[in-house]
């Protein structure tokens, strides 16, 4: 084992004999605060209340920050950015019984936020994500938790696979250049030199397949700057990748019959279209297993252990909307807390869903920054102090009254 990672890693300093505490388990407020910053401001606003700050994430950008706050160690290294320039990216590691776990966030190396300028939908690559995986494995990691989200690329995980030793060759035997457009020229896949000796768990709540009207190119490429013509090019490239995976390497992706490519096997699996098809690449080339992002990451940070004996859980994210109700962080936290009978409230920048929908999702109430400051720009700029004001409201509504109800009568 490499000495680069410590043998023991301390988690949050928590008194497990504590009862009646509050667990603060939010995701980030995109563009304003990281999840640890959200948790810290909420804790400050609650006042003299025992709390456990447990920032969380669902596998998207912010995942590394969240697990570092729970006791993982951050590791930085230089990798290839989405358009080929070097970027300094980080991942997180921790020793667990039987495994050295590395949490790798695709957005760190291959995300939209890593673009130095304009989007590059046809040529952006996931190579840096593969380089992060390789770095972690070469330094002793045996289990990779790969969080998908916020990607700049639509390359089906081709760049990631190439960084790990998979060769994607054209008809002349040349390695393909970066990006999803180049996949149209794919002729042969040679995975004989792939880096091995580790398992991969993909943490993602995206259920899109690789191909078709709900696939990686059609749904997500326009968000990465792709025109309708670019989408057609990328769909053709991903289709070719899946087909060659079947015909030349015995992999299950898509098969062509009478000129029609039919999604089957891995390409048709929910989650194969995540992060521009990197889900497909992980399933196909790394034998990955996909697990629900928020559920798996709550287990990783020990949510069940910290919520025992709690009187309230406070979760949240930047926007509580219809996407939230489809299983994002606040709903995942609420489901986990419900198993322990602990009520949940949420904080957010804004919300667009009603009280009844929230209660149906297990959230008693949601408090938005726009409740105290209607100006959205000020909410973004002053999110921390405004969160503290919201937390004070939560303390009054959900902690003081609860305490008074449980006080013995004189």
């Amino acid at each position: 084992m490499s000495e680069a990672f410590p043998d023991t890693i301390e988690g949050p300093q928590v008194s497990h004999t504590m009862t009646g505490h509050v667990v603060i388990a939010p995701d980030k407020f995109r563009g304003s605060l990281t999840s640890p910053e959200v948790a810290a401001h909420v804790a400050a606003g609650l006042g003299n209340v025992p709390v456990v700050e447990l920032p969380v994430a669902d596998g998207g950008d912010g995942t590394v920050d969240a697990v570092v706050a729970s006791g993982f160690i951050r590791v930085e290294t230089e990798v290839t950015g989405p358009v080929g320039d070097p970027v300094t990216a980080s991942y997180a590691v921790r020793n667990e019984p039987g495994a050295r776990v590395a949490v790798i966030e695709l957005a760190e190396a291959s995300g939209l936020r890593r673009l130095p300028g304009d989007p590059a939908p046809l040529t952006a690559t996931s190579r840096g994500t593969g380089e992060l995986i390789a770095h972690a494995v070469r330094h002793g990691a045996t289990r990779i938790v790969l969080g998908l989200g916020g990607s700049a690329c639509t390359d089906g995980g081709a760049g990631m696979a190439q960084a790990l030793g998979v060769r994607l060759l054209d008809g002349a035997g040349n390695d393909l250049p970066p990006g999803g457009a180049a996949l149209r020229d794919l002729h042969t896949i040679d995975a004989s030199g792939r880096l091995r000796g580790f398992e991969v768990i993909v943490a993602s709540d995206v259920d899109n397949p690789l191909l078709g009207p709900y696939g990686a190119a059609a749904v997500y490429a326009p968000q990465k700057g792709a025109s309708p013509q670019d989408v057609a090019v990328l769909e053709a490239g991903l289709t070719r990748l899946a087909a060659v995976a079947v015909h030349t390497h015995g992999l299950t992706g898509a098969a062509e019959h009478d000129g029609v490519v039919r999604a089957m096997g891995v390409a048709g699996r929910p989650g194969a279209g995540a992060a521009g098809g990197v889900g497909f690449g992980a399933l196909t080339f790394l034998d990955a297993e996909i697990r629900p992002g928020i559920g798996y990451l709550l287990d990783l940070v020990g949510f069940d252990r910290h919520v025992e004996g709690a009187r309230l859980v406070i979760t949240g994210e930047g926007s509580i909307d219809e996407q939230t109700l489809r299983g994002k962080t606040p709903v995942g936290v609420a489901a986990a807390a419900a198993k322990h009978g602990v009520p949940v409230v949420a904080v957010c920048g804004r919300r667009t869903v009603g009280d009844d929908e929230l209660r149906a999702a297990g959230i008693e109430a949601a408090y938005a920054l726009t409740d105290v400051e209607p100006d959205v720009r000020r909410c973004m700029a002053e999110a921390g102090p405004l969160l503290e004001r919201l937390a004070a409201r939560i303390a009054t509504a959900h902690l003081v009254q609860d305490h008074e109800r449980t006080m013995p009568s004189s």
Side-chain angles (χ1 to χ4, degrees):
M1 286 289 190
S2 166
E3 296 299 320
F5 301 157
D7 289 331
T8 58
I9 299 174
E10 296 294 330
Q13 299 302 304
V14 179
S15 169
H16 295 294
T17 60
M18 182 192 306
T19 58
H21 61 285
V22 175
V23 175
I24 307 172
D27 206 333
K28 65 188 173 300
F29 280 27
R30 189 186 302 275
S32 296
L33 300 170
T34 66
S35 55
E37 289 170 340
V38 173
H41 282 293
V42 171
L46 290 178
N48 190 25
V49 175
V51 301
V52 174
E53 296 177 34
L54 196 68
V56 294
D58 59 8
D61 52 328
T63 296
V64 169
D65 287 339
V67 298
V68 166
S70 77
F72 280 70
I73 296 297
R74 187 185 300 273
V75 177
E76 290 189 344
T77 187
E78 188 174 277
V79 297
T80 303
V83 294
D85 55 324
V87 299
T88 299
S90 64
Y91 61 93
V93 294
R94 184 175 71 185
N95 296 324
E96 294 190 345
R100 181 166 283 185
V101 178
V103 176
I104 292 175
E105 175 188 318
L106 176 136
E108 267 289 305
S110 312
L112 283 167
R113 62 188 175 89
R114 290 299 193 181
L115 290 169
D118 294 333
L122 299 180
T123 57
T125 176
S126 59
R127 186 177 188 89
T129 298
E131 292 171 347
L132 284 179
I133 294 172
H135 187 277
V137 170
R138 288 168 181 152
H139 287 79
T142 56
R143 180 182 302 147
I144 303 296
V145 178
L146 179 59
L148 301 183
S151 71
C153 55
T154 309
D155 72 347
M160 176 185 69
Q162 288 172 312
L164 293 167
V166 177
R167 297 193 69 193
L168 305 177
L169 308 172
D170 64 19
N174 300 312
D175 292 290
L176 292 184
L183 293 173
R184 293 173 298 171
D185 297 324
L186 179 63
H187 183 266
T188 305
I189 298 171
D190 178 4
S192 61
R194 198 208 93 186
L195 184 65
R196 299 180 187 274
F198 59 98
E199 64 173 315
V200 177
I201 295 168
V202 172
S204 174
D205 293 305
V206 171
D207 58 5
N208 302 74
L210 179 68
L211 305 172
Y214 303 105
V219 174
Y220 296 112
Q223 301 172 12
K224 305 168 190 181
S227 67
Q229 293 78 17
D230 293 338
V231 169
V233 168
L234 293 167
E235 180 76 6
L238 295 175
T239 299
R240 183 65 181 165
L241 174 65
V244 173
V246 171
H247 294 310
T248 72
H249 198 66
L251 300 171
T252 305
E256 187 170 344
H257 179 67
D258 295 333
V260 178
V261 174
R262 304 182 185 281
M264 57 180 288
V266 174
R269 282 182 58 180
V278 172
F280 172 82
L283 290 166
T284 300
F285 300 115
L286 306 182
D287 301 318
E289 175 187 355
I290 293 183
R291 296 191 189 175
I294 182 59
Y296 185 77
L297 287 159
L298 286 175
D299 289 342
L300 205 60
V301 301
F303 180 84
D304 284 344
R305 175 166 55 93
H306 293 304
V307 81
E308 280 291 337
R311 62 197 291 199
L312 183 70
V313 171
I314 302 175
T315 186
E317 63 181 350
S319 177
I320 292 183
D321 50 30
E322 291 297 329
Q323 289 295 315
T324 303
L325 301 179
R326 295 183 62 184
K328 294 184 71 177
T329 294
V331 171
V333 169
K339 298 175 184 177
H340 299 267
V342 180
V344 176
V345 299
V347 293
C348 58
R350 65 182 185 118
R351 69 158 169 153
T352 59
V353 295
D355 292 341
D356 290 344
E357 293 170 292
L358 287 172
R359 283 191 286 267
I363 299 171
E364 287 193 357
Y367 296 78
L369 300 185
T370 51
D371 294 340
V372 295
E373 174 50 68
D375 187 331
V376 174
R377 288 174 298 182
R378 288 192 64 183
C379 285
M380 296 281 287
E382 303 172 19
L386 291 172
L387 263 178
E388 294 180 22
R389 290 172 60 184
L390 286 184
R393 291 187 178 188
I394 291 172
T396 299
H398 299 273
L399 299 176
V400 174
Q401 292 178 7
D402 179 63
H403 177 70
E404 291 173 349
R405 285 196 299 269
T406 57
M407 288 284 289
S409 58
S410 56

